[in-house]
């Protein structure tokens, strides 16, 4: 039997989720990608760094409760560049100022209960994005798995679902999983999503109920 964990993620200062294909200007995704949220869950559970053994045992998505204001900061970083004697350069980094997200995790009932317990009492301090982007987690709840048809979705929506929102949205190409090679991890899988605080659809879609919220994994 499956259960769904819901938790509110409040960023008291700022956070950033760097797009890996940006260099001197580090653009941020509008929401934490599923692989970032898996890292958050792993941290709560006390798993070793780079342990992805449990990734296949859960589905992860996220909702936007408060869009953070996008701002830019300057950072001076070390960079291997023979043209720069001190090997330092300026990088522009986008940040999201005080956003609020809602984490949703679909897993077996027992495992979901374990995740919920550790989100309330994590093994390691929790952060979201960079290691100094502190995070406050509350409103952790566990719901029994239940599907419903809905025209309003409270999470990001995979574009492959084939239903375009009629409300305001942005799009994001998010990393969702890691590809396994013969001996090690060989790459990253991506998926396109529609992103918005609440997505109104042109036709009903099957979603999972999490209290009053309806989410799609």
């Amino acid at each position: 039997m499956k259960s769904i964990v819901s938790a509110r993620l409040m960023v008291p200062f700022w956070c950033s989720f760097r797009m890996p294909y940006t260099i001197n200007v580090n653009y941020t995704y509008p929401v934490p990608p599923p692989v970032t949220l898996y890292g958050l869950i792993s941290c709560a559970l006390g798993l070793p760094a780079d342990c992805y053994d449990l990734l296949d045992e859960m589905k992860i998505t996220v909702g936007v409760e408060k869009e953070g204001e996008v701002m830019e900061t300057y950072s001076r970083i070390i960079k291997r560049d023979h043209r720069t004697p001190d090997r330092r350069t300026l990088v522009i980094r986008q940040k999201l100022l005080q956003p609020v997200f809602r984490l949703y995790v679909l897993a077996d009932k027992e495992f979901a209960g374990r995740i919920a317990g550790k989100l309330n009492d994590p093994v390691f301090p929790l952060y979201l994005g960079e290691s100094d982007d502190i995070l406050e987690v509350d409103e952790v709840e566990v719901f029994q798995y239940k599907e419903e048809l809905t025209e309003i979705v409270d999470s990001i929506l995979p574009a492959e679902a084939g239903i375009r929102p009629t409300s305001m949205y942005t799009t994001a190409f998010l990393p969702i999983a890691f590809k396994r090679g013969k001996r090690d991890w060989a790459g990253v899988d991506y998926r396109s999503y529609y992103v918005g605080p609440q997505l109104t659809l042109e036709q009903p879609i099957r979603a999972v109920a999490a209290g009053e919220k309806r989410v799609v994994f």
Side-chain angles (χ1 to χ4, degrees):
M1 183 180 295
K2 297 285 188 180
S3 294
I4 181 170
V5 180
S6 170
R8 184 170 64 170
L9 310 179
M10 298 185 297
V11 179
F13 192 33
W14 63 24
C15 60
S16 181
F17 316 107
R18 178 178 174 265
M19 299 179 184
Y21 39 83
T22 61
I23 304 176
N24 288 335
V25 179
N26 294 169
Y27 294 102
T28 180
Y29 292 117
V31 294
V35 292
T36 299
L37 294 170
Y38 174 76
L40 171 68
I41 296 167
S42 298
C43 190
L45 293 173
L47 298 182
D50 300 327
C51 175
Y52 307 116
D53 296 343
L54 300 180
L55 188 57
D56 294 335
E57 297 186 24
M58 65 184 83
K59 292 184 178 180
I60 303 172
T61 191
V62 64
V64 181
E65 296 202 350
K66 177 185 174 184
E67 294 179 301
E69 178 184 352
V70 178
M71 59 181 298
E72 293 182 348
T73 66
Y74 289 90
S75 299
R76 191 169 176 82
I77 66 170
I78 297 176
K79 182 178 180 181
R80 286 189 175 274
D81 188 343
H82 63 86
R83 296 169 297 180
T84 306
D86 62 357
R87 295 189 176 183
R88 296 179 182 271
T89 187
L90 281 176
V91 172
I92 299 174
R93 286 178 172 164
Q94 281 190 340
K95 303 279 189 177
L96 299 175
L97 184 62
Q98 295 182 321
V100 179
F101 304 108
R102 178 74 62 167
L103 166 68
Y104 300 100
V105 186
L106 182 63
D108 289 336
K109 182 178 180 180
E110 183 178 348
F111 188 31
R114 180 185 168 200
I115 292 172
K118 287 304 182 181
L119 286 173
N120 278 317
D121 184 21
V123 175
F124 300 121
L126 301 182
Y127 61 92
L128 195 63
E130 299 180 20
S131 59
D132 57 351
D133 294 341
I134 59 174
L135 176 68
E136 297 176 1
V137 180
D138 66 359
E139 296 184 5
V140 181
E141 298 179 88
V142 180
F143 301 96
Q144 185 177 342
Y145 182 83
K146 179 183 177 183
E147 288 190 350
E148 295 182 359
L149 284 174
T150 181
E151 294 181 354
I152 297 178
V153 174
D154 299 291
S155 68
I156 58 177
L157 177 67
E160 63 188 34
I163 302 177
R164 185 182 296 272
T166 57
S167 55
M168 294 292 292
Y169 67 87
T170 59
T171 59
F173 192 53
L174 303 178
I176 62 169
F178 300 96
K179 298 178 182 178
R180 292 183 182 272
K182 292 183 178 179
R183 297 183 178 178
D184 205 345
W185 301 96
V188 181
D189 284 326
Y190 287 81
R191 178 184 291 171
S192 293
Y193 288 90
Y194 299 116
V195 180
Q198 192 175 67
L199 301 175
T200 302
L201 309 182
E202 57 189 5
Q203 66 186 71
I205 190 173
R206 189 166 294 278
V208 180
E212 297 180 354
K213 306 291 187 180
R214 303 295 178 265
V215 303
V216 177
F217 289 92

